[in-house]
Amino acid sequence: MQHDKDSKATFYTCSCFSTDNIFLEEFKLHVRFLSEHQFRSDYQAVLRNLGCSTDTEFKNILKKIAKEVERRRSLVVKSAERAAAIKEIYKPLHDHVYHLHESYMAPEFKQMVDYCRSGEASKEGLLSLMQTEAAARVFRFPVFKKIFCDELIEEMEHFEQSRSPKGRPNTMNNYGILLNELGFDEGFIIPLREQYLQPLTSLLYHDCGGRYLDSHKAFMVKYDMHEDLDLSFHYDNAEVTLNVSLGKEFTEGNLYFGDMRQVPLSETACTEVEHRVTHGILHRGQHMHGALPISSGQRWNLIVWMRASQERNKLCPMCNKRPTLVEGEGFADGFTSDIGMSLLQNV
């Protein structure tokens, strides 16, 4: 479990993590699995309409789900084992990229952060510096210099080619890297969130926890012509998300944004947003979005899901219920027990 340096909080996950939002890639469908009876009742007709026409095909889906449920239930132990093994055997190519430094940052980003730290900062003033509101409350701006993006990708490729164990970010991204396991949290992601991003999110997203971001999940995702090409329409397990395009060379692959997850899909219109190398896209985690397929090349993205326990303690964004706490590893899923929950379970 992770103790935040400022609040000394212990972070937890919600019990729904093992059962909810399981992504079936071939059907582009998120499902919930409590039992085979429940699953058949809820999804058999839906899956039949999507092309799952035989009982054998349905049983294969059940096998995939059982494997994913088991992966999630063992995630805490497996992640700790991977992190320990990586620390012991992996030799970084670029040691310096593990420690955030202002010299890595785009001048425009530093200017925005400095403004937000001043006593005169306002949302209107920040928006005038940002210049680009790519969609409703979706903001695009330069974050890092190109040379740093290149070195960070080189480090990721070096790790991918090593014999170190690898954990993948989630069921939607088959190719990527969990940055906490690689050792990026303390020196890079925590100061990025606390010192540079929170001054912005405090002004832009004060209504959804932007002032109180106290944990995160950070990972890399990779899109390649021979691997993942795109990302289906979804929302994040976060209050606020930063998505930075690091490179390399690619064509197409823009993001697209719909509405908040509470709005029916039939009432949603999407806006396409260009994802430029070195630029970040900042948005609310519950804002539905996806990534169009790249048509050539390869792209690496840095994703930071930022979480505010003050918000998610009231309602789990993944199951829409009061969270039932389960012990996790690191920042887990960003829940804390400081609201007096009595339903604490051990994994």
Side-chain angles (χ1 to χ4, degrees):
M1 290 177 288
Q2 176 83 31
H3 297 275
D4 182 84
K5 292 185 293 182
D6 296 327
S7 66
K8 306 301 181 185
T10 298
F11 292 92
Y12 300 87
T13 189
C14 178
S15 61
C16 75
F17 174 72
S18 298
T19 59
D20 289 35
N21 289 285
I22 297 171
F23 186 61
L24 302 179
E25 169 67 32
E26 60 268 46
F27 302 103
K28 307 299 182 186
L29 182 68
H30 284 90
V31 300
R32 185 183 193 212
F33 183 87
L34 299 176
S35 67
E36 182 174 339
H37 176 77
Q38 165 268 327
F39 186 77
R40 284 185 179 275
S41 176
D42 290 350
Y43 299 106
Q44 191 160 25
V46 175
L47 288 168
R48 188 179 297 115
N49 289 335
L50 293 174
C52 177
S53 56
T54 69
D55 195 53
T56 298
E57 290 173 327
F58 191 81
K59 287 180 178 178
N60 287 335
I61 292 173
L62 290 175
K63 290 178 182 178
K64 291 180 181 179
I65 291 174
K67 184 177 179 180
E68 173 59 17
V69 169
E70 178 56 31
R71 184 194 72 83
R72 294 186 182 196
R73 287 175 175 168
S74 62
L75 187 62
V76 171
V77 172
K78 296 295 186 182
S79 179
E81 289 175 350
R82 287 194 298 266
I86 291 167
K87 186 175 182 180
E88 180 178 351
I89 66 176
Y90 179 64
K91 303 300 181 186
L93 177 67
H94 297 306
D95 288 290
H96 63 277
V97 302
Y98 290 78
H99 302 278
L100 186 67
H101 195 279
E102 284 201 353
S103 63
Y104 306 159
M105 298 177 185
E108 299 92 332
F109 181 46
K110 288 195 290 184
Q111 182 186 19
M112 288 187 291
V113 174
D114 289 341
Y115 171 76
C116 292
R117 290 170 176 169
S118 72
E120 305 299 320
S122 67
K123 180 179 178 180
E124 292 71 25
L126 175 57
L127 292 178
S128 69
L129 291 175
M130 281 189 160
Q131 298 181 353
T132 303
E133 184 173 6
R137 303 187 73 182
V138 176
F139 305 99
R140 184 182 63 220
F141 50 89
V143 177
F144 297 120
K145 295 177 180 176
K146 182 65 164 57
I147 188 171
F148 173 74
C149 292
D150 292 343
E151 290 177 337
L152 190 54
I153 291 175
E154 288 174 2
E155 181 62 33
M156 295 303 105
E157 292 178 329
H158 182 66
F159 175 70
E160 283 276 274
Q161 294 163 10
S162 76
R163 62 186 181 90
S164 300
K166 284 91 178 175
R168 300 311 179 190
N170 49 62
T171 53
M172 297 188 74
N173 297 109
N174 297 304
Y175 300 91
I177 296 169
L178 290 164
L179 293 179
N180 66 307
E181 294 183 1
L182 197 47
F184 272 87
D185 265 0
E186 290 297 327
F188 192 100
I189 303 297
I190 291 176
L192 178 64
R193 167 172 57 83
E194 293 181 346
Q195 299 172 30
Y196 295 92
L197 294 174
Q198 189 152 310
L200 277 63
T201 62
S202 294
L203 293 176
L204 298 173
Y205 304 113
H206 61 87
D207 57 331
C208 56
R211 294 177 179 172
Y212 309 105
L213 301 172
D214 53 359
S215 70
H216 62 263
K217 177 179 179 178
F219 51 95
M220 294 285 184
V221 295
K222 182 174 66 168
Y223 300 94
D224 187 275
M225 295 306 295
H226 305 292
E227 298 172 355
D228 289 338
L229 291 174
D230 57 8
L231 188 62
S232 297
F233 206 43
H234 69 285
Y235 63 90
D236 299 336
N237 186 0
E239 275 62 66
V240 182
T241 294
L242 176 71
N243 180 336
V244 183
S245 177
L246 301 172
K248 306 163 74 171
E249 296 293 332
F250 59 90
T251 54
E252 301 189 31
N254 286 340
L255 303 187
Y256 58 97
F257 286 84
D259 213 316
M260 298 300 282
R261 67 182 178 91
Q262 296 85 356
V263 178
L265 288 179
S266 60
E267 301 175 15
T268 295
C270 289
T271 301
E272 189 170 333
V273 176
E274 183 183 0
H275 210 0
R276 302 173 183 171
V277 173
T278 74
H279 284 58
I281 293 182
L282 193 67
H283 63 88
R284 293 164 291 175
Q286 305 301 291
H287 197 156
M288 296 290 293
H289 61 285
L292 296 168
I294 60 171
S295 57
S296 67
Q298 183 183 95
R299 183 172 80 197
W300 285 84
N301 289 47
L302 166 64
I303 311 294
V304 186
W305 287 354
M306 293 175 280
R307 292 152 170 175
S309 60
Q310 181 168 306
E311 291 293 319
R312 59 185 39 230
N313 283 350
K314 304 170 191 173
L315 190 73
C316 173
M318 306 310 286
C319 66
N320 293 312
K321 297 177 182 177
R322 186 178 175 89
T324 299
L325 301 185
V326 178
E327 290 188 6
E329 180 69 20
F331 286 118
D333 278 337
F335 301 96
T336 61
S337 60
D338 58 1
I339 60 173
M341 292 183 185
S342 59
L343 298 175
L344 176 59
Q345 302 175 347
N346 291 322
V347 174

